[in-house]
Amino acid sequence: MRPDPRSKPARPGGKRAVQGGGGHIARKRFGQNFLVDHGVIDEIVRAIAPQPGQHLVEIGPGLGALTNPVVERSEKLTVIELDRDLAARLRKRPELNVIESDVLRVDFGALAQEAGQKLRLIGNLPYNISSPILFHLLPWADQVIDQHFMLQKEVVDRMVATPGNKDYSRLSVMLQWRYRMECVVDVPPGSFDPPPKVDSAVVRMVPLATPPEVDLPEFTKMVAVAFSQRRKILRHTLGAWMAEHGIETEFDLQRRAEEVPVADYLALAALKKAKTPSA
């Protein structure tokens, strides 16, 4: 159901308040696009299936489109909100634990330790920093049950892409090493106020129980090198990296980065780890 533009009061300077937002005006610097389609909201909440006793953490609760139906089912909810005006509103609700912070500064390991259990993460992530948020969460995957995030559809396509697909990228490799992922809800622009200029989607991310062991900083560097010139064959990029680290293997450097399966990157990372002297 698209919001009725006639119900959004105008504000000075041509700006108008968000539908149902109690006068709040979306702030571009925070990447604010608020979900207002109740049919889509119901679909997302069904996909999340929140339960009492679970420790759910919502990133960017905004005006509460997901917050309200989720906390009805979970009874308690931790929310992370950067906008101080929205955080002040949220603090008035006793069922919410409000963390006013940039999500990139939040220690999710400490949150899980404080809760005494693994976390379930949800949220409509700011599209301008969605990839940094996903990378920020990687080190704490073993302390997370699952993640349900609204993202730009293009980003979700990259996350779940397979080798040889034009969407297969550094993001695909880094996340598929650690998560099983699937797109669970498609969301058109008209489901938001203000509507973004892109399609959106909700992705479910479930951490793998026994992922291959890697040195995460080194793995991150290696994959970044591989995709640094994705139109060229890997002899020009990863070949130099392998020579620098004295790695000899039958890894096929005549391929492009987008043609290499995650398992092959992991095998190469394992060789690099074996070459590294123990401290």
Side-chain angles (χ1 to χ4, degrees), residues 157-187:
D157 288 343
R158 285 164 50 204
M159 292 166 70
V160 303
T162 53
N165 186 298
K166 64 180 178 61
D167 294 319
Y168 189 70
S169 65
R170 171 176 172 251
L171 188 67
S172 316
V173 175
M174 294 302 302
L175 296 182
Q176 289 177 29
W177 154 65
R178 198 61 187 86
Y179 303 94
R180 176 175 57 81
M181 297 177 291
E182 61 179 322
C183 178
V184 292
V185 183
D186 288 324
V187 187

Side-chain angles (χ1 to χ4, degrees), residues 101-156:
S101 174
D102 180 342
V103 65
L104 296 178
R105 297 180 180 273
V106 174
D107 184 333
F108 287 86
L111 286 183
Q113 185 174 12
E114 182 181 339
Q117 61 175 296
K118 291 187 177 183
L119 309 175
R120 299 193 68 201
L121 306 182
I122 64 174
N124 176 12
L125 301 188
Y127 291 0
N128 55 341
I129 58 165
S130 58
S131 291
I133 292 173
L134 293 170
F135 284 122
H136 177 66
L137 293 171
L138 260 176
W140 294 298
D142 62 345
Q143 297 176 69
V144 170
I145 294 173
D146 57 17
Q147 301 174 170
H148 290 81
F149 292 140
M150 175 96 71
L151 299 160
Q152 188 173 336
K153 180 68 162 61
E154 177 183 297
V155 174
V156 175

Side-chain angles (χ1 to χ4, degrees), residues 48-58 70 73-74 76-79 117-122 146:
I48 297 170
Q51 302 294 325
Q54 297 175 334
H55 196 88
L56 284 109
V57 179
E58 182 179 8
V70 167
R73 293 160 176 77
S74 65
K76 292 185 178 181
L77 179 65
T78 293
V79 296
Q117 61 175 296
K118 291 187 177 183
L119 309 175
R120 299 193 68 201
L121 306 182
I122 64 174
D146 57 17

